[in-house]
Every structure is written in structure tokens, then in C-alpha cells.
Amino acid sequence: MGEEETLPTHKNEIQENKEQPSNETRSCLCTPIDWCKMLVRELDWSFVLVVMIVYGISQGLGGALARVGTEYYMKDVQKVQPSEAQVYSGITSIPWILKPLWGLLTDVVPILGYHRRPYFVLAGSASVAIGDVTVDACVAQKSGNHPSLASDMQTLCSLSFSIGSLIGFSLSGIFVHLIGPQGVYGLLTIPAGLVLLVGTLLKEPRSSIFAYEQETIGYIMAIGSVGSLIGTILYQYKLKNYPFRDLLFWAQVLSCLSGMLDLVLVLRLNLKLNIPDHFFVLIDTSVTQMVARFKWMPLLVLSSKLCPAGIEGTFFALLMSIDNAGVLTSSWLGGLLLHSLNVTRTEFDKLWLAVFIRNISRITPLFLLFLVPRSDSNSSVLENDVLNWKGVNETSVSDNVELVALVHNTDDR
């Protein structure tokens, strides 16, 4: 009876031992899936998809294809020397050296209210390095919000990259053999397109209205810089040969007239002309910066020509300090004017008068233009003896200079 009772027990142990390997296999397969489900549930599916696409497909798979394809393209197609190949490889690493710049842009320069999504779109059409920095920023941001999952997120990044690299290097040789290096470059448009798609799928809250206003101000200043660039180009190719006095006269007149655009904005006259504020401010900023460049360029040229020989640095710094003192004085007088007119952060009734007084005061430099010479940028302002006295001394000294042998003649020994 005892043997009959132990027999079923032995059979059950054998059955359990047979089921144990299958349970372990099922567990090995289900654990990574359950882990991914947990990340999707805790972090958001779009974030997990972004990490897999950027690290796995773009950097892992795409990076492997690009590396092998580039090596064969340089060796077989372009037939470059190893030293030249190293130079080209260094050039391609420049976007990665600039990663701090991309990180700064994603943090402080939102586009249309978004910090991450537009830069994924830019990475899909410009540089993998931008996508790398952007996804790193997303991971760091999520790590701050979910500290307990920080290691899991880094594991997801590493796994995605490793699996992508494994597949990419395994297939790269086959693709290079079948379609050539140029064909491999064509395949790289697929990872780039997926990264671009990520920019539309990522869930990201839009910045607040106040931040968006800050962004708009940045755009306005940027367009104003374009006006300054146009002014510089126009001066170089159209205006630099005109006399200083004529240039400064018309630049100052244009400065007075362009200042009236501010008056139009303050009095809201642009709305009566059906011109929106944003558009009018763009015009105002661009014109103002362009006119300021018209006025500043001949002043810089004239200042450089006024510097006597031997003290160029000192004299030019003196002239620039006089300009800075004028800026400081105008700032203080402007503040005094606003205070006297009772213009505050919330009171703008007499702001138009302050703008009008500022524009009228720009006429006063016209009465001092008789002090400016009529010569142009191609002529000398100072006398030749002032400009050349140092050159004469240098010439006389150079006549007495002779080269000293660095190696003694062995015959003398």
C-alpha cells in the first residue's frame, strides 16, 4: 500500500519538471513585453516610441548603415586616401561637437510654443545630433518627473540602440553588396523620415501664453537683425563711396523719420490703416535697425581713419567710449523724461509725447555736421605726416636688421 501511495506523487513530480522549462521560456518572453507595457503605462506611449525610433532606428540601425556605407563609398567610389578619409570623418563630427548649442536651443528657444517637437522635425531633415540631444532632453525631463523609472529609461535607450546596431551591422554588408553605397544612403531617408514623424506624434504640452509672448519678442528682434544685415550689405555695395557728411546727414534724417513709426504704433494709427500690430512692429523694427546700420557704418569707418599712428588702439577706444557715454546719457535723460510725463508700467497716456520729443531731438546732430569732413572712405582724413611717421621709423630700423644664422657653420670648428 505504501508503494501505491508514493507512485502518483512521483508521477506528479515528473509532470511538474516537464512543465517547468516551458514556464521559464514563457516567463523569458513575457517579462520584456510586460516591462514595455509598464513603461508605456507610466510614461506615455509616444515617449517610448520616440526613444525606440531615435535610438534604435535612427542612431542604431541608421548609424550602422551610414558607417559601413560611408567607408565603402570613400574607398571604392571616391578612392580617397586614409588621411583624407580621417579629415572627412572629422568634419562629419562637427554637429556632435555642437551638442551643447542644440541643447540650449531646445531649452530656451521654443518654436510655436513647443520645446521638443519642432526639433525632432528639424533633426529628420538636418542632423542626427539634434535628434540625439532632443531625445536626451526628453529622457532627462521624464527622469525628473519619474525618479523611480530613471534607470528603466536608460535601459530602454541602451537596448534600442544595441538592437538597432546589431540589425544594422548585420544587414549593412548585404545592402552595400546589392545596391552599393549610394543605395545605402538612399535607405537612410527612412530613419530620417521616421524621426521627422516623431515630431508630429510626441505628446508635449504647449508653453504658456507669457512664454509665447517672449518667443514672439525674440522673433521680432531676429527679423530686426535681418534689417541690420541688409543695411550693412547696402552700405558695402552702394553707399560706401559717398562722402561722410552726406551719408550722416541722410542717415540722421531717416532716423528721425523711422522714429515716427513708433509714434504711429503708440497712437494706434496702424489699426486705422488695417495693419495688424505684429506686422507693423516687424516693419518698424526692420527699418529702425537698417537705418541704424546706415548711420553706424560710416561712423566706424571715420573713427578708424581719425586714429593717429602709434596710438590706434587708445584713440579708437576713446572714440567708442564717447559713444557709450552718449548712450548712457540718453538713457538717463529718457528715464527723466518718462518720469516727468508720468509714464509708468500701467500709464501710457503721454507716451506719444515722449516718443515725439525723442524724434525731434534727433534733429540736433544735424547742426554739428559741419565738423565732419566731406571726404569719403577712400580718402585720408589725417595729414600724411601724422599717418606715416611711425612707418618711417620702422623702415629705418628695418634697414639695420640682418638675419642671424641659427646653425653655425661646421667649417669654422
Side-chain angles (χ1 to χ4, degrees):
M1 293 295 292
E3 294 179 357
E4 294 179 354
E5 291 178 355
T6 57
L7 184 60
T9 304
H10 182 65
K11 291 181 178 180
N12 292 336
E13 291 177 354
I14 294 175
Q15 185 68 24
E16 291 177 356
N17 291 333
K18 290 182 178 180
E19 293 178 353
Q20 186 173 0
S22 62
N23 292 334
E24 292 178 353
T25 303
R26 188 180 302 108
S27 177
C28 291
L29 294 175
C30 293
T31 299
I33 297 176
D34 294 337
W35 179 68
C36 291
K37 289 182 178 179
M38 182 271 297
L39 292 178
V40 170
R41 183 175 61 253
E42 296 293 334
L43 299 176
D44 185 66
W45 67 270
S46 64
F47 170 77
V48 177
L49 181 63
V50 165
V51 172
M52 290 182 174
I53 289 178
V54 174
Y55 276 106
I57 298 179
S58 178
Q59 296 188 30
L61 177 63
L65 293 176
R67 179 177 176 180
V68 176
T70 300
E71 290 179 354
Y72 279 95
Y73 179 75
M74 290 185 178
K75 181 176 70 71
D76 297 337
V77 179
Q78 296 295 333
K79 301 184 184 303
V80 300
Q81 297 299 325
S83 58
E84 297 176 351
Q86 289 299 112
V87 173
Y88 296 141
S89 177
I91 293 175
T92 59
S93 66
I94 292 177
W96 296 91
I97 298 175
L98 298 177
K99 284 180 65 174
L101 175 61
W102 313 137
L104 180 65
L105 292 176
T106 60
D107 288 335
V108 303
V109 184
I111 300 176
L112 300 178
Y114 296 102
H115 285 270
R116 314 299 181 202
R117 294 176 59 180
Y119 288 96
F120 280 121
V121 176
L122 181 61
S125 58
S127 173
V128 180
I130 300 177
D132 176 75
V133 171
T134 308
V135 73
D136 287 344
C138 293
V139 172
Q141 189 174 9
K142 287 287 186 180
S143 299
N145 297 332
H146 302 83
S148 60
L149 298 177
S151 58
D152 295 274
M153 284 183 271
Q154 294 298 330
T155 302
L156 177 64
C157 297
S158 180
L159 282 175
S160 300
F161 178 80
S162 300
I163 295 173
S165 299
L166 176 62
I167 298 174
F169 284 119
S170 300
L171 298 177
S172 58
I174 300 175
F175 284 135
V176 170
H177 176 72
L178 294 177
I179 60 179
Q182 293 94 326
V184 172
Y185 287 149
L187 291 178
L188 293 178
T189 59
I190 298 176
L194 292 176
V195 174
L196 191 147
L197 180 64
V198 161
T200 62
L201 296 178
L202 180 65
K203 293 182 180 179
E204 180 187 8
R206 195 170 185 177
S207 302
S208 62
I209 297 177
F210 180 73
Y212 182 73
E213 287 177 355
Q214 291 177 330
E215 178 185 350
T216 303
I217 296 298
Y219 287 147
I220 292 174
M221 295 300 180
I223 296 177
S225 299
V226 173
S228 176
L229 177 63
I230 295 175
T232 303
I233 296 174
L234 288 177
Y235 175 81
Q236 172 65 24
Y237 292 101
K238 297 294 183 182
L239 302 175
K240 68 176 183 178
N241 294 325
Y242 286 88
F244 290 119
R245 188 180 299 182
D246 295 343
L247 283 177
L248 293 176
F249 174 82
W250 290 110
Q252 197 64 32
V253 171
L254 290 175
S255 179
C256 298
L257 296 177
S258 63
M260 292 299 176
L261 294 176
D262 294 337
L263 190 61
V264 172
L265 182 65
V266 171
L267 296 177
R268 319 301 292 148
L269 299 178
N270 60 298
L271 297 180
K272 295 181 180 180
L273 300 175
N274 295 324
I275 302 177
D277 287 340
H278 285 79
F279 184 71
F280 189 83
V281 169
L282 291 178
I283 296 175
D284 185 8
T285 306
S286 301
V287 173
T288 302
Q289 292 288 337
M290 184 173 61
V291 173
R293 188 55 55 180
F294 283 161
K295 184 172 63 175
W296 185 238
M297 292 297 293
L299 284 175
L300 287 176
V301 176
L302 179 60
S303 298
S304 63
K305 287 181 172 294
L306 289 174
C307 298
I311 56 170
E312 294 91 348
T314 304
F315 198 82
F316 194 84
L318 174 63
L319 295 177
M320 293 301 102
S321 66
I322 294 174
D323 177 77
N324 293 329
V327 173
L328 177 61
T329 304
S330 64
S331 177
W332 285 351
L333 292 178
L336 180 62
L337 177 63
L338 292 176
H339 179 73
S340 60
L341 295 177
N342 196 28
V343 177
T344 64
R345 297 170 57 184
T346 57
E347 184 67 34
F348 306 104
D349 291 340
K350 294 184 178 181
L351 179 60
W352 69 270
L353 182 58
V355 174
F356 181 77
I357 294 175
R358 181 203 65 180
N359 295 335
I360 296 300
S361 65
R362 290 180 176 179
I363 300 177
T364 54
L366 297 177
F367 299 102
L368 300 176
L369 283 180
F370 70 93
L371 299 174
V372 177
R374 288 190 174 273
S375 59
D376 56 28
S377 59
N378 299 318
S379 305
S380 297
V381 177
L382 299 179
E383 297 294 335
N384 292 332
D385 55 348
V386 179
L387 293 174
N388 298 330
W389 73 270
K390 184 182 179 183
V392 173
N393 292 337
E394 290 180 347
T395 303
S396 60
V397 172
S398 62
D399 292 338
N400 299 323
V401 175
E402 63 180 42
L403 295 177
V404 178
L406 298 180
V407 179
H408 297 286
N409 193 343
T410 57
D411 296 337
D412 297 339
R413 295 183 177 181

